[in-house]
Amino acid sequence: MSSFIGIDLGTQSVKVVLYDEAGHLLSLAQRDYPLLTPQIGFAEQDPEEWWKQTFSALQEVLYSVSNREIKAISFSGQMHGLVMLDNNYKSVCPAIIWADQRSEKEVHFIREKLRSRLAPIAGSDIATGFMGASLFWVKNNRPDLYNKTRWVMLPKDYLKIKLGLPPSSDVADAASTLLFDINQRNWSEEIIKELDLKSSLFPPIYESAQIIGQVSPSVQKELEITGDAFVIAGAGDQHCAALGNGIINEGEVLITIGTGGQVFTTIQKPIVDSLLRIHTFCHAVPQTWHLLGASLCAGLSLSWFKKSVLDNNHHTFDYSTLDEEAAWGIAGTNGLIFLPYLIGERTPHRDSLARGAFINLHLTHQRGDMVRAIMEGVSMAIKDSVSIFEELGIQGKKFIFAGGGAKSRLWRSILSSFLEHPLQTTKVKEEAATGAAILAMVGSGHFNSFNEAVEQMIRYDSPVNPQDQWFPVYRERYQTYRSLYPALKPFFPQ
């Protein structure tokens, strides 16, 4: 009996899952690593630390079972970031990850230079932390590092190097670099040339479920594994989380409320928002694409309120208590509205200088009201993305809710009521790592299709239904919410 490995290289930790042929989870391991901030606006990580912790987690899951015959391994990874390697596959500097903001000047330059071509070629606006902006910053500000670089790649692709494979990337993750042609499903020669970047830096591209090689004999020996040990190209964490939640067909929508908030839906052809309020990227499923909306401060808004406003030296609040207090409130929170723009906003405003606010705060509002207003404000930010999907002709038929926010039954009720649609959650542990395992299983031929894999492996809890009596209040509240950003924008930092 062979097993399959999925690796999710996240921003704060790496998670490794081991699945058997029947799609049952055998083992799970997690290792943390630091985020480096050497200067204000910088966000870096050490690729060698990624590998060190990944290797340790691999050992844990493998040593937990007696049979270490591995059929295939694949990857999920934090998106957008930049890893630069020399001729010997050694990193020339720390990886510049998605949270990095040093390239603000380069973003404005690229946006102006490629204004008419961003939508039809890349399917998205450029942002700080995207590989295209970060690499352009290095070229302009650290030519010594740029000239040492032989290969550039995304974070998870570095792990393939350590498994003994040559440089490569995949259509789904590479689409998030803004150096990619989402129609041709390959690097954009036009954008790379316009930015005067060396085309030789970019590795070959594969579909996410393609076999790209095998784990080298030396690494197999180190890990004490046997079997084919095929390496499957992999995808970004949003794509793999979609797979791990069963989102593979048009009309299926995944909403994730973690630190940020993401709204993901599969499309059968590349549809691009002309205003670039959302991203259009390639999906991990062959010949499909997806729309992606992003709210920067979703769960982080509630975390900020708890840790920075409520918690003190004498008492620390827990989320379940706050959830109970918020549940005593009423829909619309007696007019209190929260704007979750604490670190700017991406969808739909694309405004890094937007700021958060409580509106209509009154002496009668209590702690639970403010918690509920935060949940409602984040839910309306999520609805912004769903509304854009609908503008583009994509109607959600099945909504899946994931992430830490989905653990709150109240938040599930609030969000489902704003969307006026039932929400389901999966019973899957570690959806992104499981999505990587699905890629390994489909790519190696164990399952004939993604539909077969999802049918076998993904199970859902009972749906949470919307509260019909909240609809009139929430419809009115959402219209007010949408009017607040343009009204307050003149007061944001310039």
Side-chain angles (χ1 to χ4, degrees):
M1 294 282 288
S2 294
S3 299
F4 302 84
I5 293 174
I7 299 174
D8 175 33
L9 186 77
T11 305
Q12 301 180 71
S13 66
V14 61
K15 298 167 185 175
V16 178
V17 294
L18 184 70
Y19 275 86
D20 66 14
E21 292 181 347
H24 298 136
L25 179 64
L26 299 176
S27 186
L28 163 66
Q30 177 176 335
R31 297 290 186 275
D32 298 335
Y33 36 72
L35 172 63
L36 310 175
T37 54
Q39 298 182 41
I40 294 176
F42 282 38
E44 302 177 342
Q45 286 180 321
D46 179 3
E48 273 302 305
E49 187 67 17
W50 289 338
W51 172 242
K52 176 183 175 182
Q53 300 306 330
T54 300
F55 189 85
S56 175
L58 280 166
Q59 286 181 313
E60 181 179 334
V61 298
L62 289 166
Y63 294 175
S64 70
V65 295
S66 56
N67 178 12
R68 297 174 193 159
E69 181 180 341
I70 302 301
K71 181 69 173 181
I73 182 171
S74 193
F75 311 86
S76 160
Q78 52 169 292
M79 295 164 63
H80 310 303
L82 170 65
V83 181
M84 301 188 296
L85 305 183
D86 63 17
N87 281 313
N88 298 314
Y89 300 155
K90 302 294 184 183
S91 56
V92 303
C93 64
I96 302 174
I97 70 165
W98 66 270
D100 193 276
Q101 296 179 320
R102 75 186 72 175
S103 59
E104 187 72 41
K105 179 180 176 182
E106 284 71 24
V107 164
H108 289 295
F109 177 88
I110 293 170
R111 186 177 289 143
E112 288 302 313
K113 189 173 183 62
L114 301 175
R115 178 179 297 275
S116 64
R117 283 162 288 179
L118 279 174
I121 298 177
S124 172
D125 190 19
I126 188 77
T128 56
F130 281 32
M131 179 194 280
S134 296
L135 184 59
F136 198 54
W137 182 92
V138 172
K139 178 178 179 291
N140 292 341
N141 296 274
R142 292 297 306 272
D144 55 324
L145 298 178
Y146 184 80
N147 291 330
K148 287 180 184 177
T149 301
R150 173 61 187 89
W151 297 102
V152 298
M153 60 189 58
L154 290 140
K156 73 169 190 334
D157 297 328
Y158 182 76
L159 301 181
K160 303 174 199 173
I161 299 287
K162 303 303 288 187
L163 291 174
L165 279 77
S168 68
S169 194
D170 66 278
V171 296
D173 210 3
S176 75
T177 64
L178 270 291
L179 298 168
F180 201 80
D181 187 325
I182 63 167
N183 301 287
Q184 300 300 318
R185 298 175 82 89
N186 210 335
W187 299 112
S188 170
E189 295 180 7
E190 181 177 346
I191 292 178
I192 290 169
K193 183 178 180 180
E194 282 290 326
L195 298 182
D196 195 26
L197 299 171
K198 293 182 286 189
S199 60
S200 60
L201 295 175
F202 302 94
I205 292 290
Y206 296 88
E207 288 289 336
S208 292
Q210 271 188 270
I211 295 174
I212 61 172
Q214 294 171 280
V215 177
S216 70
S218 62
V219 177
Q220 286 199 46
K221 185 177 180 181
E222 283 186 88
L223 289 171
E224 301 179 32
I225 62 175
T226 61
D228 293 322
F230 292 124
V231 177
I232 311 301
D237 54 6
Q238 292 301 312
H239 314 98
C240 287
L243 295 178
N245 281 281
I247 306 297
I248 56 176
N249 299 305
E250 194 163 291
E252 298 170 342
V253 180
L254 173 63
I255 297 170
T256 305
I257 293 182
T259 301
Q262 294 83 32
V263 189
F264 182 113
T265 191
T266 306
I267 51 178
Q268 297 302 315
K269 59 182 180 180
I271 302 168
V272 179
D273 175 33
S274 61
L275 299 177
L276 294 179
R277 294 167 295 177
I278 56 173
H279 308 295
T280 302
F281 294 145
C282 300
H283 196 357
V285 179
Q287 295 310 306
T288 63
W289 289 259
H290 71 90
L291 302 176
L292 179 66
S295 181
L296 296 178
C297 202
L300 184 57
S301 290
L302 186 57
S303 173
W304 159 80
F305 186 70
K306 180 185 112 59
K307 295 176 181 178
S308 299
V309 180
L310 299 180
D311 292 349
N312 56 59
N313 293 333
H314 307 291
H315 183 73
T316 299
F317 289 82
D318 61 77
Y319 288 106
S320 60
T321 299
L322 296 177
D323 204 64
E324 290 175 8
E325 291 185 7
W328 283 101
I330 63 173
T333 330
N334 288 317
L336 183 61
I337 298 179
F338 175 73
L339 299 186
Y341 307 150
L342 300 178
I343 53 174
E345 188 57 301
R346 188 167 297 169
T347 303
H349 306 304
R350 298 186 299 151
D351 186 352
S352 63
L353 298 178
R355 292 295 179 261
F358 281 102
I359 307 295
N360 287 337
L361 188 61
H362 188 266
L363 190 63
T364 56
H365 285 120
Q366 303 295 311
R367 181 173 56 223
D369 296 319
M370 299 182 79
V371 171
R372 185 178 184 122
I374 290 172
M375 292 179 176
E376 291 181 343
V378 170
S379 297
M380 288 187 281
I382 295 297
K383 184 175 173 65
D384 277 340
S385 292
V386 175
S387 297
I388 297 171
F389 293 175
E390 292 171 351
E391 285 180 34
L392 297 175
I394 305 301
Q395 295 294 326
K397 301 172 184 175
K398 171 183 173 183
F399 287 81
I400 307 300
F401 190 14
K407 296 177 182 178
S408 164
R409 185 172 183 86
L410 174 61
W411 212 334
R412 296 200 299 271
S413 292
I414 289 171
L415 180 57
S416 68
S417 299
F418 271 109
L419 299 178
E420 301 186 12
H421 202 286
L423 290 179
Q424 291 180 279
T425 56
T426 68
K427 297 182 178 181
V428 172
K429 291 183 178 180
E430 303 302 339
E431 295 101 323
T434 295
I438 288 173
L439 285 173
M441 299 172 93
V442 173
S444 63
H446 178 69
F447 288 126
N448 293 319
S449 68
F450 285 99
N451 280 304
E452 182 183 349
V454 167
E455 184 176 340
Q456 178 73 21
M457 297 178 63
I458 310 301
R459 297 290 180 270
Y460 300 98
D461 289 319
S462 298
V464 170
N465 292 311
Q467 304 294 313
D468 295 7
Q469 68 272 22
W470 295 354
F471 289 179
V473 174
Y474 279 173
R475 288 169 186 167
E476 182 275 330
R477 190 67 72 246
Y478 180 58
Q479 294 307 313
T480 302
Y481 172 88
R482 294 189 69 173
S483 71
L484 290 173
Y485 171 80
L488 293 175
K489 183 174 174 58
F491 303 99
F492 297 151
Q494 301 299 313

